[in-house]
Amino acid sequence: MQGLMMQMPLMISALLTHAEKNHADTEIVSRTVEGDIHRYTYRDMGRRSRQLANALKHLKVKPGDRVATIAWNGYRHMELYYAVSGSGAIIHTINPRLFPEQLLYIINHAEDGIIFFDLTFTPLIEKIAAQCPKVRAWVAMTDHSHLPPARIENLLCYEDLLDAEKDDYVWPEFDENTAACLCYTSGTTGNPKGVLYSHRSTALHAMAVCMPDVFNMSARSVVLPVVPMFHVNAWGIPYAAPLIGAKLVFPGPALDGASIYQLMEQEKVNYSAGVPTVWLGLLNHLKQHNLKFSTLQYTVIGGSAAPPAMIQSFQEDYGVRVLHAWGMTEMSPLGTLNTPKEKHLSMSKEELFKLSLNQGRTFFGLDLKIVDDDGKSLPRDGQSAGHLLVRGQWVIHDYYKSDGGSPLKDGWFPTGDMATIDPDGYLQITDRSKDVIKSGGEWISSIDLENVAMAHPAVAEAGVIGVHHPKWEERPLLVVVKRAGQDVTREELLKFYEGRIAKWQIPDDVAFVNELPHTATGKISKLQLRQQFKDYQLPG
Ligand code: ADP
């Protein structure tokens, strides 16, 4: 017997319609590329998104067509998120920090027909446009007065497109499994691969991330996503915010500590999210100028391991709760997030802090397991480290155009991460399997070694890689950027490890550098670091 309930497809456009009806006057504030602050509401966003959907129709964008963006976090980008997917086409959010060759590869691989770009990227577009034969229009996301005298063929102006349209577009309903958004993995080895989210997976992910033990966002949240809308859809925040009616504050291109702090204070932001490297900048700014947050309560840190020293500083020095999260592009991206259970509340402050450091628990809709090299399940004892596999409602089952064949193993997606899971379900990522240091048959976690170094007051940033060793195969090398105006020696740093980590895991050497290489998503690029130190001779 079938249940007798309505069937309503999960449509991305319904998130916006919901916000327009129930949170019409809730604000969306954006720092624009031109530098001023733009302010409007979900009501305005709904109206303009429908005008944009009409414009896309007149540009002959059909269901399934790929429409790309090269843009910062801002209200026009938000309108594109909804107008493109809402009308049945696919929004492809491109990371402008990729190398031009990678950009060209993904634009041509995705077969993007129209590309919308922020003015910042005009010089980049001028350089690559001629090599994108499938792109039939380039749309500058600005008004007529700011349109650049660019040497780009088929250049259109965003506000001119909207001005020509009415807001009478009716969002169509179609199969919820229809493709909605396309993101490419950064492709540290080989070409980037496309991950194609559906309306259903995006809506379910958005509902899940709002839950109290996940992002815990609500109609009382004022959210500033520092994580870019080109980095796995800003971790789903552009979909979650309309779903619960949160105020959004978009930072535009100004991602330095001073600009973020100023915007947070001005707009009474109480919620934020970003990768550890952006928080380094913000925390430095606060320290240098002896500032405090007046409204910030929560920040999600993910994308790479949040160093305990950073979590501690947010919590102890600034009263901000860190929500440590783990995920990946192939998972929309959220996988786990750290919050305590009721039984933990009686713990001492120190024990609770210790518990808050790992990547947390998963939530309904996802399933995790760890396996050994032969694929045999390992116990959830918090000790056994293995390959982490996932499956769930918003996990990939195939890459775009089936690149590389099916990524699944017996119905599970191998994440490429090594982890332990404890009896309460808390996940501890020990390393990416390609970054773990293999020393004499034992494994050393580069994350653990980085976390210790980051706790030293003279260390601004630390990366650890394995370098060749004639006897042990690999030994850890610590690469450090010193904090401005601070000094520390190799010997002092190595001594700092004593008592904090098993003796045999202490790095063999320290290299000081002015800067660490970062990936397009702001993580330390271990690949480049290994390249940089490939001929490094360890002492002794
Ligand atoms: P890329 O950075 O390669 O573009 P993703 O953003 O999808 O791709 O990165 C996902 C990977 O980032 C995970 O597989 C994991 O290795 C790492 N990662 C993400 N969050 C965390 C975290 N909280 N702790 C440790 N590693 C993390």
Side-chain angles (χ1 to χ4, degrees), residues 26-339:
T26 299
E27 278 187 317
I28 300 168
V29 178
S30 313
R31 193 195 293 282
T32 66
V33 172
E34 295 85 2
D36 58 335
I37 297 286
H38 175 274
R39 194 178 287 282
Y40 74 171
T41 62
Y42 280 116
R43 181 188 293 111
D44 304 320
M45 182 194 151
R47 180 176 46 78
R48 281 174 49 95
S49 300
R50 289 193 300 277
Q51 284 176 281
L52 179 57
N54 270 330
L56 294 173
K57 193 163 73 181
H58 290 134
L59 287 170
K60 307 225 165 1
V61 174
K62 294 187 300 301
D65 283 359
R66 272 76 66 210
V67 173
T69 58
I70 306 183
W72 303 111
N73 292 4
Y75 67 103
R76 292 188 182 111
H77 205 172
M78 190 72 178
E79 290 161 4
L80 280 156
Y81 261 52
Y82 284 84
V84 174
S85 305
S87 61
I90 299 167
I91 181 159
H92 170 205
T93 49
I94 299 176
N95 185 337
R97 297 184 186 129
L98 293 172
F99 296 117
E101 314 82 76
Q102 283 179 314
L103 271 171
L104 279 171
Y105 173 83
I106 64 172
I107 289 170
N108 291 324
H109 186 266
E111 301 176 70
D112 296 325
I114 300 182
I115 296 186
F116 288 76
F117 65 95
D118 265 334
L119 289 180
T120 322
F121 307 111
T122 309
L124 173 71
I125 306 295
E126 285 177 339
K127 214 179 292 162
I128 63 171
Q131 296 164 73
C132 304
K134 296 250 157 94
V135 179
R136 54 179 203 278
W138 299 86
V139 186
M141 292 161 69
T142 189
D143 58 20
H144 201 80
S145 64
H146 289 91
L147 202 60
R151 296 165 291 276
I152 301 168
E153 261 185 70
N154 306 319
L155 179 67
L156 301 174
C157 168
Y158 189 94
E159 293 300 330
D160 287 354
L161 287 180
L162 257 68
D163 284 346
E165 301 295 343
K166 291 216 215 47
D167 67 353
D168 58 354
Y169 188 86
V170 180
W171 301 114
E173 261 192 19
F174 41 85
D175 179 359
E176 63 183 14
N177 292 302
T178 304
C181 358
L182 177 63
C183 290
Y184 279 74
T185 61
S186 58
T188 36
T189 49
N191 279 324
K193 289 195 218 132
V195 179
L196 194 56
Y197 312 107
S198 66
H199 284 256
R200 175 186 162 81
S201 70
T202 306
L204 286 175
H205 179 263
M207 287 203 251
V209 302
C210 293
M211 292 195 291
D213 271 347
V214 194
F215 279 2
N216 190 23
M217 276 165 44
S218 73
R220 294 160 300 287
S221 303
V222 180
V223 186
L224 189 153
V226 184
V227 53
M229 291 168 79
F230 54 74
H231 186 194
V232 216
N233 300 325
W235 301 347
I237 290 173
Y239 303 110
L243 186 152
I244 35 91
K247 172 175 168 180
L248 276 167
V249 181
F250 287 128
L255 300 177
D256 57 288
S259 307
I260 296 282
Y261 176 76
Q262 189 263 332
L263 196 57
M264 281 180 164
E265 290 296 300
Q266 175 186 308
E267 296 302 326
K268 300 192 169 35
V269 169
N270 55 24
Y271 199 102
S272 195
V275 297
T277 36
V278 306
W279 301 130
L280 286 178
L282 182 65
L283 290 176
N284 267 342
H285 176 75
L286 291 176
K287 240 182 226 133
Q288 271 169 15
H289 298 87
N290 202 15
L291 300 167
K292 296 273 178 209
F293 295 112
S294 12
T295 52
L296 189 65
Q297 288 178 324
Y298 291 99
T299 189
V300 181
I301 305 186
S304 47
M310 177 177 284
I311 299 181
Q312 187 162 27
S313 180
F314 263 116
Q315 294 185 172
E316 304 275 311
D317 305 339
Y318 302 105
V320 177
R321 258 293 299 282
V322 168
L323 303 170
H324 190 194
W326 166 84
M328 60 195 310
T329 309
E330 286 87 339
M331 300 174 63
S332 303
L334 228 55
T336 62
L337 188 135
N338 190 309
T339 56

